[in-house]
Amino acid sequence: MRLFLLLLCVIAVIGCKKEEKPYQWQIPADFPKPTVPANNPMSNAKVELGRHLFYDKNLSANQKQSCAGCHQQDRAFAEMIPTSIGSTGQLHRRNSQALVNIAYNKSLTWAHSELQTIEAQVLLPMFGEDPIELGITGHDEQVLARFNTAQYHALFEKAFGDEQASFDRIAKAIASFVRSLVSFDSRFDAYAYKMQDDALTESEMRGMDLFFSERLECHHCHGGFNFTQSTSHEKQILDRHAFHNTGLYDVDGKGSYPKKDQGLIEITLEPRDMGKFRAPTLRNIALTAPYMHDGSIATLSQVIDFYARAGNGNVNTSQFVKGFELTAQEKTDLLAFLHALTDEAFIKNPQHSNPFKPH
Amino acid sequence: MRNGLFCILLLTAVISGCSQPKNTRLTIKPVYLGQSLDCLSKPIETLLFYLSDFRSEHALTIKPSNHASDNVVLLGTDCGEFNHWQVDLNGELSGGTLQFTLGVPFSDNHQNPLTASTPLNVSEMFWSWQLGHKFFRLDSSDGFSYHLGSTGCKSASRLRAPKDECINSNRITITIENYDVNKPIILNLDRLLQGVDTAQTCMSEQDSAVCKTLSENLSQHVFYTE
């Protein structure tokens, strides 16, 4: 009888050990954690499944493109062309966004105030028909059947308790993987948060002081630890969706943006939202050229010139885009600072890399 | 014996329950264009400010909440979900002279905003370690902005805190001479903007005429009781 009890205990202990370790955010101590939807808590198994799906071309109807096609790790999960091209060759109207700390994003995509979870956003590239990205619509069963393999059975089992693949689970797993893409290990972070006084060069320090100055106003829209006002986290008490008109276009002298992309107004139908887009994070910004929602500015240097001249002239340009003058040295310094926001460990992190390509 | 103790406890409870309710809550009422501020119909997009160091006849400290710490309270509206106009205090408010500071105390003003607790972890109200927080922020959709905070702060860079008080602390002491505990304190934006060219903005530039007028208005007659 005693032996039986002992055995029972041993089994119970082993049973406990099988339980997965809770997910650990790869963020510095003291940093606020992102908020995560209650119906999709983070787990290592979901992140791992999501990573496989993110890099798997089988997720596109014609098996020609994966998420990683437009979101490349060595470019901080952006890509180097102005606007993206879908799996069928259709041209997208917008520039592929970097996937950097988007777990903290207040809203997703370039200009959508209501799209607030990655689970909802990820359905756009999967099922969207205009433009077609992965092009799953109309090929649902066929695409799903491709995940009926021994490898995916094991991944789904670990992530969701059984081997069944579904698009709901796929969206949740990809969302979990994308949420895991956190980047807080730039030289700026070493200076700012690890208090390493020698982490930045003199030029980068001067550029940093310019960046955080009222003269340039950069930090009004690109403020906070994630370099975007459009940030939320567990300690947040102010809940704001920040969208701005940078004065990139004015096609009719009345502030209109080109018909093919007018920004937030398409969602809210509010005239005041004409030409408003979400301020993206500046972390890893040196890697994500070209810039702006349509990739119309090729280099960071040209972006600085654009803001220096207070945009291209639009009556509704944000009051924080008011123009400034920089000496050649100051511009060099500002560029040096922006390059110090690059996180080399992030773009080389094997946990974020293609699982089908052994390193 | 047990019954005796019980009686005393009961008596104490009854007595304290019967005593006069204390005035421990202070309310600010924002006024713009002669009316109560209304985000829906007005161009105001943000009106946020920090208050600290309350002084009245009795000792007063701030009661911590989701928008206040022991030392400082964030009030105002972002014309969204944040909408706070009341300060709960430890200690009793009394009529007569009431003083408080518009601003964040120096000891709290230049800390890492990431590790700071409520209400100092609001990035929109933070400039940098060097300059600290915006004490008062007014943004209007017609292009006018007023951000008040310390300037002339000396440190190794924008991301390092100054050891000594800034040359222009720009904290403003507000004195309400005839405070009535039963009335709110008015924050009158019309008076704030009196004589101000709203085609310009003020980001606490020390040499700006607009800034000078705004801070004079603030210290003199923007906060009052009717």
Side-chain angles (χ1 to χ4, degrees):
Chain A
M1 187 61 198
R2 274 209 185 145
L3 188 68
F4 175 71
L5 278 177
L6 191 71
L7 271 175
L8 202 68
C9 284
V10 171
I11 290 166
V13 169
I14 293 170
C16 284
K17 274 191 178 162
K18 258 185 81 180
E19 209 159 277
E20 215 198 329
K21 280 183 290 180
Y23 185 77
Q24 289 281 328
W25 288 99
Q26 300 298 304
I27 57 176
D30 304 330
F31 271 55
K33 289 194 189 94
T35 46
V36 175
N39 67 356
N40 191 23
M42 291 292 279
S43 75
N44 296 309
K46 261 189 267 184
V47 170
E48 189 57 13
L49 169 61
R51 177 180 163 218
H52 282 76
L53 293 164
F54 185 88
Y55 282 99
D56 198 335
K57 288 182 180 174
N58 284 314
L59 198 57
S60 61
N62 62 9
Q63 294 173 286
K64 287 193 170 160
Q65 194 175 51
S66 67
C67 305
C70 303
H71 297 288
Q72 302 159 8
Q73 187 180 11
D74 61 341
R75 311 311 311 182
F77 296 95
E79 66 177 336
M80 291 200 75
I81 54 176
T83 61
S84 298
I85 302 166
S87 60
T88 60
Q90 194 177 348
L91 194 64
H92 202 294
R93 63 181 178 157
R94 285 181 180 162
N95 179 255
S96 165
Q97 291 201 302
L99 304 180
V100 175
N101 299 342
I102 67 165
Y104 292 99
N105 275 24
K106 186 73 233 157
S107 67
L108 295 148
T109 80
W110 277 102
H112 200 316
S113 49
E114 308 312 307
L115 206 52
Q116 291 166 25
T117 68
I118 305 171
E119 286 79 0
Q121 184 278 328
V122 78
L123 300 177
L124 293 180
M126 285 168 67
F127 293 99
E129 293 182 85
D130 187 26
I132 292 176
E133 297 183 51
L134 295 171
I136 297 173
T137 298
H139 308 275
D140 310 43
E141 293 305 316
Q142 188 191 336
V143 169
L144 215 48
R146 296 181 195 146
F147 301 103
N148 194 3
T149 66
Q151 187 183 20
Y152 273 106
H153 285 170
L155 288 163
F156 274 99
E157 166 100 43
K158 269 192 176 171
F160 293 104
D162 66 63
E163 61 185 44
Q164 191 65 47
S166 71
F167 284 116
D168 179 53
R169 286 178 171 183
I170 287 173
K172 282 179 170 156
I174 292 177
S176 299
F177 171 67
V178 171
R179 250 181 216 117
S180 78
L181 302 175
V182 291
S183 168
F184 290 115
D185 202 12
S186 67
R187 285 188 300 109
F188 165 80
D189 291 290
Y191 182 87
Y193 301 114
K194 294 177 194 153
M195 302 306 274
Q196 291 172 18
D197 286 337
D198 58 354
L200 296 177
T201 66
E202 293 281 315
S203 172
E204 288 161 353
M205 299 258 279
R206 287 194 301 269
M208 178 172 70
D209 282 357
L210 281 169
F211 182 90
F212 288 101
S213 71
E214 293 293 320
R215 190 176 132 208
L216 268 64
E217 300 277 20
C218 308
H219 65 314
H220 262 118
C221 304
H222 297 287
F225 66 91
N226 206 24
F227 289 89
T228 167
Q229 222 182 43
S230 178
T231 295
S232 71
H233 54 77
E234 57 175 5
K235 292 188 195 165
Q236 190 98 340
I237 56 170
L238 220 63
D239 187 33
R240 167 132 49 191
H241 304 287
F243 297 90
H244 305 276
N245 182 340
T246 61
L248 189 60
Y249 296 107
D250 185 353
V251 293
D252 59 1
K254 294 180 206 150
S256 295
Y257 271 47
K259 280 236 157 44
K260 74 169 178 184
D261 198 350
Q262 301 189 320
L264 188 60
I265 190 174
E266 294 176 7
I267 305 298
T268 64
L269 306 179
E270 293 268 6
R272 63 173 183 195
D273 290 333
M274 168 65 78
K276 284 191 181 173
F277 292 87
R278 194 178 63 82
T281 179
L282 297 186
R283 290 181 171 277
N284 300 298
I285 195 70
L287 300 170
T288 67
Y291 302 100
M292 318 313 270
H293 68 275
D294 57 355
S296 59
I297 302 187
T299 67
L300 267 186
S301 170
Q302 290 166 352
V303 174
I304 293 174
D305 295 343
F306 167 79
Y307 285 119
R309 65 175 182 265
N312 293 334
N314 178 306
V315 287
N316 298 319
T317 302
S318 159
Q319 66 240 53
F320 300 117
V321 180
K322 59 181 189 185
F324 49 82
E325 277 180 33
L326 289 179
T327 65
Q329 182 60 49
E330 284 175 330
K331 190 176 165 189
T332 304
D333 294 339
L334 185 58
L335 276 168
F337 169 67
L338 293 172
H339 278 78
L341 297 176
T342 298
D343 179 348
E344 296 290 343
F346 175 69
I347 59 171
K348 295 193 184 98
N349 188 338
Q351 290 177 324
H352 306 331
S353 68
N354 187 343
F356 304 108
K357 258 191 208 162
H359 279 266
Chain B
M1 183 57 205
R2 221 179 232 186
N3 277 347
L5 188 67
F6 177 72
C7 275
I8 290 168
L9 278 175
L10 192 71
L11 207 62
T12 314
V14 168
I15 289 169
S16 51
C18 286
S19 65
Q20 285 282 332
K22 285 181 179 175
N23 289 304
T24 57
R25 174 172 283 182
L26 185 150
T27 303
I28 306 271
K29 182 182 167 194
V31 168
Y32 182 55
L33 300 180
Q35 294 176 347
S36 238
L37 176 72
D38 174 1
C39 282
L40 292 174
S41 53
K42 302 287 165 35
I44 303 296
E45 288 182 331
T46 309
L47 172 60
L48 290 167
F49 51 98
Y50 287 108
L51 300 183
S52 56
D53 200 13
F54 289 84
R55 279 155 290 163
S56 171
E57 191 187 324
H58 304 280
L60 297 173
T61 55
I62 298 167
K63 208 178 267 183
S65 69
N66 66 352
H67 61 108
S69 71
D70 291 317
N71 295 333
V72 61
V73 58
L74 177 64
L75 296 179
T77 179
D78 63 349
C79 290
E81 284 168 30
F82 190 94
N83 203 22
H84 292 286
W85 301 99
Q86 291 178 326
V87 190
D88 283 319
L89 296 157
N90 297 308
E92 190 178 356
L93 283 163
S94 50
T97 304
L98 173 71
Q99 274 196 334
F100 52 86
T101 301
L102 178 65
V104 178
F106 178 73
S107 56
D108 286 349
N109 196 28
H110 303 274
Q111 308 299 315
N112 182 346
L114 286 174
T115 51
S117 50
T118 299
L120 297 176
N121 56 3
V122 177
S123 67
E124 287 178 65
M125 293 299 280
F126 189 69
W127 269 325
S128 62
W129 280 249
Q130 187 180 54
L131 297 177
H133 295 266
K134 295 164 195 169
F135 301 155
F136 186 94
R137 176 171 184 163
L138 174 68
D139 295 318
S140 154
S141 60
D142 58 18
F144 176 73
S145 277
Y146 175 32
H147 298 180
L148 173 74
S150 297
T151 61
C153 312
K154 293 202 178 73
S155 64
S157 78
R158 289 269 175 173
L159 276 280
R160 290 290 183 265
K163 287 190 179 63
D164 302 312
E165 178 59 282
C166 307
I167 295 169
N168 309 300
S169 77
N170 288 340
R171 278 180 209 91
I172 295 177
T173 302
I174 310 284
T175 306
I176 313 273
E177 295 290 357
N178 53 345
Y179 178 61
D180 179 340
V181 292
N182 298 313
K183 287 183 181 166
I185 292 172
I186 309 287
L187 192 185
N188 190 322
L189 296 181
D190 301 322
R191 291 188 179 188
L192 174 68
L193 298 173
Q194 223 163 61
V196 173
D197 174 9
T198 54
Q200 299 187 50
T201 60
C202 165
M203 297 289 145
S204 293
E205 300 92 340
Q206 211 54 37
D207 51 358
S208 145
V210 174
C211 288
K212 196 160 174 275
T213 311
L214 284 163
S215 64
E216 275 170 13
N217 286 350
L218 260 183
S219 58
Q220 284 166 15
H221 54 230
V222 170
F223 289 92
Y224 60 93
T225 45
E226 276 173 330

